[in-house]
Amino acid sequence: MVRRGQWLSWLTLGYNSLEGILAIGAGVLAGSIALVGFGFDSVIEVSASVAALWRLNADVDPIERERAERLTLKIVGILFLALGIYVTWDAATALVKREGPDESKLGIVLAAASLIVMPLLARAKRRVALRLGSRALRSEAQQTQLCTYLSAILLGGLTLNAMFGWWWADPAAALIMVPIIGKEGVEALSGHDSCYDGCA
């Protein structure tokens, strides 16, 4: 199960590295706050995968495992809260200044692809986390699931802007992401996650 967890973390790390580069690049070119925020979430997911790999490598030593567990949860929580602050500031600024993004076909394709890939990865990672009894790994799996929700919100905002020219849909979509991001951050920092023992 540890080896499987490591493989899933490496797979997530690779996918999110590519996703982050493409999303941030496309977001900057289109001026899309939601797309850039989504890209930064991918960067956070990469960081969480690295932390999860470290946690899995510590599994053989009970003392090291518990220390890695606590630190991994804190890292994931801090990264979530940092993302929430960034997205809130950027989206609020865009709404005040009435700055709408350009259309981003790459962003739409990327969000749609993540809606397929992320739920599969999250489910597999939750199973490993439950077998190993790790809250930190459950939190990291929940972060992967969060990417699914963000993908759906992003897809909605980008599509509305592309089809109807609703400039406010993008920053509004970004702000909708913030409570979800903040909740995950607080739960991780407090040593909990939103996936209980019944999750599968």
Side-chain angles (χ1 to χ4, degrees):
M1 290 310 294
V2 170
R3 282 196 299 272
R4 186 178 179 190
Q6 289 171 330
W7 181 82
L8 287 168
S9 290
W10 278 113
L11 184 61
T12 305
L13 197 153
Y15 181 85
N16 278 297
S17 295
L18 178 62
E19 181 183 71
I21 291 167
L22 292 176
I24 292 171
V28 169
L29 289 174
S32 168
I33 299 159
L35 193 49
V36 171
F38 182 76
F40 276 114
D41 177 71
S42 299
V43 173
I44 290 174
E45 183 74 23
V46 167
S47 303
S49 294
V50 171
L53 283 168
W54 176 61
R55 160 62 184 87
L56 286 163
N57 287 334
D59 210 70
V60 293
D61 182 347
I63 296 172
E64 180 66 16
R65 179 174 59 224
E66 186 56 34
R67 189 174 76 86
E69 185 87 10
R70 289 193 304 269
L71 186 55
T72 300
L73 277 169
K74 286 181 181 176
I75 290 169
V76 171
I78 290 167
L79 291 172
F80 266 130
L81 294 178
L83 176 64
I85 292 167
Y86 165 78
V87 170
T88 300
W89 171 260
D90 228 10
T93 301
L95 285 171
V96 169
K97 293 183 176 179
R98 301 179 65 86
E99 294 175 345
D102 296 328
E103 180 181 337
S104 177
K105 291 178 182 175
L106 175 59
I108 291 171
V109 170
L110 196 59
S114 290
L115 273 176
I116 298 168
V117 174
M118 287 300 152
L120 299 175
L121 279 173
R123 187 174 180 83
K125 288 159 87 171
R126 273 197 303 270
R127 286 177 176 168
V128 171
L130 288 170
R131 289 286 296 275
L132 294 177
S134 170
R135 291 167 308 173
L137 294 178
R138 281 204 304 269
S139 182
E140 199 263 337
Q142 188 63 16
Q143 190 167 43
T144 303
Q145 183 63 41
L146 171 66
C147 192
T148 304
Y149 308 144
L150 297 183
S151 299
I153 294 167
L154 174 68
L155 184 60
L158 293 177
T159 303
L160 287 172
N161 182 57
M163 291 180 66
F164 305 110
W166 292 357
W167 66 270
W168 50 265
D170 182 81
L175 287 174
I176 291 170
M177 295 177 185
V178 172
I180 302 169
I181 294 168
K183 177 176 177 290
E184 294 301 325
V186 170
E187 286 181 348
L189 278 175
S190 65
H192 299 86
D193 57 59
S194 54
C195 184
Y196 297 101
D197 291 340
C199 291

